[in-house]
Amino acid sequence: IFFRIMSKLSLSAAIIWLVVLLPAVHACSRILWTKYSNSFVMSGRSMDWVFSFDDYLYVVPRGIPMDGGMGKGSARWTSKYGSVVSSMSGWSSKHGFDFVRDGGTDGINEKGLAVHVLLLEATEYPPPDKDIPGVSYLRWARYLLDNFATVAEAVEGTKKVHILSVAIMGHVLGAHVAIEDSNGDSAIFEIIEGKLHVYHDKKAVVMTNDPPYDQQLKLLRRYEGFGGDLPLPGSTSSEDRFVRLSYYLPYLPKPADDTEAVASVQSLMMNAAVPFGAPYGDDVYPTWWTSYSDLTNGVYYFNWVKNPFLIWVELKNLDFSAAEVLVLNPRDPRLLGEVSALFTEVGTREAQKAAVPEMHSTTLSVFGCVSAIFVCSIFAVAIHQMLVKRTAGGGRMRTSHLNPEESPLLT
C-alpha cells in the first residue's frame, strides 16, 4: 500500500509526508571489531532511512575555519586534523543548510578517530546556554573529527560544548554518536533529558538506535548467550539488530589480511541491513549505504548499496595541507576502488552538477536488486573460503552460544 501511495505523490509532497513520519523511524547500525587489535582495528556502520539523503563524501583539510552553526552562541574552531566525511548534505542543503558544513554523519580523520552519527528518538537536546558554546547536531561529526585525535580527547572536548537542536522542515532529528580510535578505544554519546551521557568503554562495540544504550544492554541479557533464555531474534528492529550484532561479532574469524578484514565486517553489517522492498511496517527502512573504517591503516571504505562496487579512500593519498574542501559523489555507479584522486573542489560545485539522478523513488529497480545480490554473493563466498581455510588448518568453527562472561559487552 505504501508503494502505491508513494507512486501517486509528487516528490516534494512525498518528502514532506515522510518527514512528518520521521519520529517513527528506527535506522542504522554500528560495530567496532577489536578482537585482533594487535593487527587491526576496524568499524562498520549502515545508513537506513525511508529515502536517500543524496549523500556526498568530503575531504576536509587542516586549517579550515568552522563554527557550531548556532549563530552568535556557536563554538568556533579551525580544523586541526584532516578528515574524510560522509554527509547527508545533498538533502539537507535543499532545506536551507550549508552544503559543506552541515550534515556530517560519518567519517575518519588522519589520526585514526572515526565518528558515526545515528538516530536516537529518545534524544532531548538542552536549551542554549550563553555561557556554553553550542554545536548543532548537524555539525557534531565535524566538531569531533576536526579537533580530536583520540576517544579520550573527544570525550573531554564534548563535555565543553552543548550539542543543540536545529529543525529541518520543522522537525528535529535526535542523534547519538559512537566514536573509536586506532587504539581500540570507544565511546558512545547520548543526550537524554537535556543531559550528556557518556559511555566511555572499549566494550561499547555495538550501537543501533532506540532505546538508549544502557537500556539496550539490559534487554540484551534476556537472550541466550547473554544470560537469558530467549532465542536469537530475527527482525530488523533496533533491539533485534543490537542483539544479533552483539552475538555474531565475537565469532568473526581472524582474517588473513586487510581485504578479508573488510569482508568480515561487511558480512556482519549485512546481517543487520534492511533490503530494498522490505515491508515498511514496524519502523523498517532500507539500507542505503554502509561504510567501513580501517583505523589501523587509515582507509575509509564506502558502499552505495545500489552500486555493485566498493570504493575507498586511503588517507595517505590525500593532501590535508590544501586550502580547499573537496567533494565526491559516491553514488556515481562508475566509481570503483581507490577514489582519492577523483575529489573536486566544492567551490566549483562540479560534484553537484555531475550528480547521478535523484534516488528518492521507492520503486525497486532491477539494477538495484542485481547489485545487492551480487555484493552479498561475493562476500558470502569470501567468508565461506575463510571458514574452509580455518577448518583445513585444524581450526573449528564455533556454533555454541556465548557464555555471558565471554561477551565484550557484558564483562
Side-chain angles (χ1 to χ4, degrees):
I1 295 175
F2 178 88
F3 289 106
R4 294 196 194 103
I5 295 173
M6 290 299 296
S7 65
K8 296 178 182 179
L9 294 174
S10 68
L11 177 59
S12 59
I15 293 176
I16 293 173
W17 185 68
L18 291 168
V19 169
V20 171
L21 294 181
L22 284 178
V25 174
H26 288 95
C28 312
S29 304
R30 168 263 189 181
I31 60 172
L32 171 61
W33 194 21
T34 61
K35 185 175 182 180
Y36 306 102
S37 57
N38 59 325
S39 301
F40 67 88
V41 175
M42 185 168 293
S43 60
R45 85 68 66 83
S46 63
M47 171 63 83
D48 310 341
W49 206 257
V50 69
F51 54 80
S52 161
F53 283 130
D54 298 334
D55 304 82
Y56 284 89
L57 297 183
Y58 294 86
V59 172
V60 180
R62 308 178 205 105
I64 300 297
M66 184 68 174
D67 65 73
M70 298 306 300
K72 188 175 180 180
S74 293
R76 301 184 187 280
W77 67 91
T78 298
S79 57
K80 185 177 180 180
Y81 304 112
S83 62
V84 175
V85 182
S86 173
S87 175
M88 63 180 188
S89 57
W91 176 72
S92 60
S93 64
K94 296 173 183 176
H95 303 291
F97 292 90
D98 190 271
F99 180 67
V100 176
R101 298 184 167 200
D102 292 309
T105 56
D106 202 66
I108 179 175
N109 72 16
E110 61 181 312
K111 291 298 182 179
L113 180 75
V115 174
H116 319 282
V117 183
L118 279 66
L119 183 79
L120 182 70
E121 291 178 46
T123 300
E124 294 180 38
Y125 297 106
D129 187 324
K130 63 182 180 62
D131 297 322
I132 302 176
V135 177
S136 157
Y137 65 83
L138 292 177
R139 300 190 182 187
W140 195 353
R142 279 288 305 275
Y143 174 71
L144 296 169
L145 293 169
D146 286 355
N147 290 300
F148 308 112
T150 66
V151 167
E153 289 181 8
V155 167
E156 293 306 309
T158 301
K159 294 176 181 178
K160 296 177 181 179
V161 299
H162 270 176
I163 305 303
L164 301 174
S165 66
V166 291
I168 303 179
M169 298 181 70
H171 188 83
V172 174
L173 303 179
H176 59 167
V177 169
I179 60 175
E180 63 271 352
D181 61 31
S182 58
N183 295 316
D185 200 4
S186 177
I188 292 173
F189 301 116
E190 296 183 338
I191 303 170
I192 307 298
E193 296 182 348
K195 296 185 181 299
L196 178 68
H197 294 246
V198 180
Y199 303 94
H200 184 185
D201 192 335
K202 286 189 175 183
K203 299 168 190 168
V205 293
V206 175
M207 187 175 84
T208 55
N209 309 110
D210 291 80
Y213 182 70
D214 60 339
Q215 296 178 40
Q216 289 277 30
L217 292 179
K218 291 178 181 178
L219 294 173
L220 186 63
R221 295 180 184 275
R222 302 181 303 166
Y223 292 90
E224 293 179 357
F226 300 100
D229 55 9
L230 292 178
L232 196 66
S235 84
T236 55
S237 72
S238 173
E239 298 95 327
D240 285 6
R241 285 183 280 117
F242 190 94
V243 174
R244 289 202 307 279
L245 292 174
S246 300
Y247 177 82
Y248 286 121
L249 182 59
Y251 289 144
L252 289 179
K254 186 174 183 178
D257 51 32
D258 299 337
T259 300
E260 285 193 356
V262 177
S264 296
V265 174
Q266 184 160 13
S267 73
L268 182 49
M269 290 306 303
M270 289 300 100
N271 187 272
V274 183
F276 285 100
Y280 275 47
D282 193 28
D283 308 331
V284 177
Y285 295 80
T287 299
W288 290 94
W289 56 263
T290 57
S291 70
Y292 310 95
S293 297
D294 181 345
L295 303 172
T296 302
N297 298 300
V299 184
Y300 185 73
Y301 298 86
F302 189 94
N303 174 232
W304 183 255
V305 175
K306 284 196 171 184
N307 293 344
F309 305 119
L310 196 67
I311 64 173
W312 60 89
V313 181
E314 297 182 29
L315 273 65
K316 66 182 181 181
N317 294 333
L318 300 172
D319 180 9
F320 288 124
S321 65
E324 296 289 338
V325 175
L326 305 178
V327 65
L328 176 73
N329 178 1
R331 295 165 282 125
D332 190 328
R334 298 167 295 181
L335 296 179
L336 168 65
E338 215 287 333
V339 295
S340 60
L342 301 180
F343 284 79
T344 59
E345 291 185 3
V346 172
T348 64
R349 293 297 178 96
E350 290 180 10
Q352 286 183 302
K353 295 176 183 177
V356 294
E358 299 294 341
M359 298 183 182
H360 286 106
S361 173
T362 54
T363 302
L364 179 62
S365 68
V366 174
F367 179 74
C369 291
V370 174
S371 299
I373 295 171
F374 177 75
V375 171
C376 291
S377 299
I378 288 176
F379 285 100
V381 171
I383 298 303
H384 172 73
Q385 291 176 341
M386 290 164 58
L387 294 175
V388 170
K389 291 179 182 177
R390 180 181 177 90
T391 304
R396 179 171 62 89
M397 186 172 70
R398 300 169 63 189
T399 56
S400 61
H401 290 295
L402 286 172
N403 293 321
E405 60 268 18
E406 291 183 82
S407 171
L409 292 172
L410 299 181
T411 54

